[in-house]
Amino acid sequence: MDNKNEITGRNIIVSDFEVAPYDPDEYEYMGDQKCHGQLIVNKQEKTITFRHISGTFPIFYVILTAMSINKNWFRIGDAEECEKKYEDYMILIRDIPAAYYIARTGENGLPVIEKEIENVPYLNDAKELTLTEKEYYLLASVHFMLHFTSSELNRAKKRFIKEWEFRFIK
């Protein structure tokens, strides 16, 4: 696959990062290592992938937050545009066995399930996860992680860096 696009530059952007896998105060006490992972943004397919490289597997919230502060993904997944595009969609969450479903509002006002989002960890560890723009937007809106301006993105990024010991690896 060609990784160049005349208009937008690179089609696939890989960012390595390091983060506390769960509560920053507890993971060191428990003897766990920081998570080393990758975020892979595919501009053509409008997908973002988390891949675990080493260390302790992170919780889902950490992965979703790392995705939400990624500036390359922020440029693709415009939250205001997504809000309009996906206003008739919702996330349905089943607890046991855990699953996330994308649903839309049906003719009678009841939700109609379109598909299950694959490989989303619920209470277990995340190894690899790929989300489309729609899947990410709906999951992030459930977890209140959407950023509408670059100043809000920068504020969220600084807070995440401080609280979760997050850093990009060059």
Side-chain angles (χ1 to χ4, degrees):
M1 172 169 45
D2 187 20
N3 192 27
K4 286 288 183 186
N5 182 314
E6 291 179 22
I7 299 169
T8 60
R10 295 182 296 164
N11 289 329
I12 299 173
I13 301 162
V14 179
S15 306
D16 281 57
F17 68 91
E18 187 176 76
V19 68
Y22 52 92
D23 187 336
D25 295 331
E26 287 185 22
Y27 88 94
E28 287 180 332
Y29 175 76
M30 298 297 288
D32 289 331
Q33 302 291 317
K34 280 189 174 180
C35 168
H36 173 200
Q38 287 182 331
L39 290 176
I40 304 161
V41 176
N42 188 324
K43 289 182 179 180
Q44 282 185 322
E45 296 178 10
K46 290 190 173 187
T47 61
I48 186 165
T49 301
F50 162 77
R51 183 176 296 148
H52 177 262
I53 304 297
S54 65
T56 304
F57 291 107
I59 60 175
F60 180 55
Y61 175 82
V62 171
I63 295 168
L64 208 54
T65 305
M67 288 177 172
S68 74
I69 65 167
N70 184 290
K71 68 180 178 185
N72 297 303
W73 183 245
F74 180 77
R75 291 180 187 140
I76 291 172
D78 181 354
E80 290 176 333
E81 185 180 303
C82 288
E83 189 173 30
K84 293 173 189 155
K85 274 197 314 197
Y86 306 127
E87 68 183 345
D88 292 333
Y89 291 89
M90 65 193 85
I91 287 283
L92 299 177
I93 303 169
R94 182 179 67 198
D95 282 335
I96 301 174
Y100 289 85
Y101 297 94
I102 292 180
R104 61 178 167 71
T105 306
E107 294 173 10
N108 57 359
L110 295 174
V112 176
I113 294 175
E114 280 194 356
K115 69 177 241 176
E116 180 179 357
I117 303 175
E118 300 293 326
N119 301 322
V120 175
Y122 187 67
L123 295 173
N124 55 348
D125 302 324
K127 297 171 182 75
E128 187 164 331
L129 169 69
T130 299
L131 299 174
T132 64
E133 179 186 54
K134 183 195 295 184
E135 293 167 346
Y136 166 79
Y137 172 77
L138 293 170
L139 287 167
S141 63
V142 166
H143 292 280
F144 306 106
M145 294 180 179
L146 296 176
H147 306 292
F148 293 93
T149 64
S150 57
S151 63
E152 289 173 347
L153 174 67
N154 289 334
R155 202 172 315 123
K157 190 176 195 175
K158 286 177 186 175
R159 185 171 162 218
F160 188 59
I161 287 169
K162 182 180 177 184
E163 292 179 10
W164 289 86
E165 302 173 10
F166 179 86
R167 74 180 183 98
F168 284 108
I169 301 171
K170 297 191 182 214

